[in-house]
Amino acid sequence: MTTVMRDHPGWTNVAGTWLRAVSDADQAPEVLDADNVDGPDEFVLPPLTSAQVPAALERALRDLGPVRRWRNPSLWDAVATAIIRQVISADQARAQHRRLRQTFGATAQSPHGPVHALPTPQAILKLEVEDLAAIGLAFKAPVLLAAADAYLLHGAKWTALPAASLFQELHSVPRIGPWTAGAAVADFTHDWSLYPHGDLAVRKWARTAAPSTDWPTDEKQFATRWRQITGAHLAPLTLFTLAWGRHHGGSP
């Protein structure tokens, strides 16, 4: 068994095929096909040497088999997507992401039908706050505009940075906090040690997979506990827990 992860809100079912269009700066959109086995990275859960990992959680995650996930080929897409995902549910994020793509993004043609990419930073900067407010993104408009401006100034440098340095650079952009920076870096680099480990999805799926474990409900306390129990396996356990949740059809 292999589990394909489609956590990114850009994945769209087009005539029965899961596709995603991605563009970066002024590039033409690239169409990703979830069924293309050569595209995604594959992760295998390693032997867990930390005795603190709940047995129920390990069993649930191992049942997934290898996990395949597309690393985001566009840093801009990763940043803009993380901004859209701020402080809302996964279902809300997918709806906002779709509206932004379909209203202002470029259209890419595929054998299955058209797919929409997020608007490039150049396209975002041509919009007014009112344009974004009209599609339900009033709260996100200032940070999207600030991120687009910063990306055009620094994007070429950012894409060459190691993950930890990229996190710091993104975090320095006004209104991009540690949650957004960590989510964007994980999406773009597949370094899941930088993902926000107190995230609602990690909390929910850890509790669901191992309900007898006394998990903290507070975000910061959970993140601390999560780092303690995962030890050297922080990155893979975070990724596999998110994959387990998506595989079980949840939407925290």
Side-chain angles (χ1 to χ4, degrees), residues 41-80:
D41 293 338
E42 183 170 287
F43 300 86
V44 177
L45 194 66
L48 302 181
T49 57
S50 172
Q52 298 186 70
V53 177
L57 178 61
E58 180 175 358
R59 285 195 301 272
L61 301 187
R62 290 207 181 279
D63 285 346
L64 292 174
V67 168
R68 289 188 180 138
R69 184 186 188 278
W70 288 83
R71 184 187 71 79
N72 199 327
S74 164
L75 177 57
W76 165 248
D77 184 286
V79 171

Side-chain angles (χ1 to χ4, degrees), residues 13 26 30 32 37 74 86 92 97 142 152 172 186 199 208 214 219 221 231 249:
N13 194 304
D26 56 355
E30 171 189 5
L32 311 181
V37 296
S74 164
Q86 290 175 347
Q92 290 173 310
H97 203 274
L152 290 180
S172 71
D199 178 47
T208 306
D214 185 17
E219 181 177 345
Q221 291 178 358

Side-chain angles (χ1 to χ4, degrees), residues 12 21 31 41 79 117-118 122 141 146 163 181 241:
T12 305
V31 177
D41 293 338
V79 171
L118 281 178
Q122 292 93 333
T241 299

Side-chain angles (χ1 to χ4, degrees), residues 103-160:
T103 307
F104 299 115
T107 302
Q109 297 299 328
S110 80
H112 308 280
V115 194
H116 301 276
L118 281 178
T120 64
Q122 292 93 333
I124 288 288
L125 290 174
K126 292 178 181 177
L127 303 175
E128 302 292 337
V129 171
E130 292 76 13
D131 297 322
L132 294 166
I135 59 169
L137 285 168
F139 179 73
K140 309 293 176 63
V143 65
L144 278 170
L145 291 165
D149 189 49
Y151 189 84
L152 290 180
L153 288 173
H154 307 295
K157 179 185 78 170
W158 286 350
T159 56

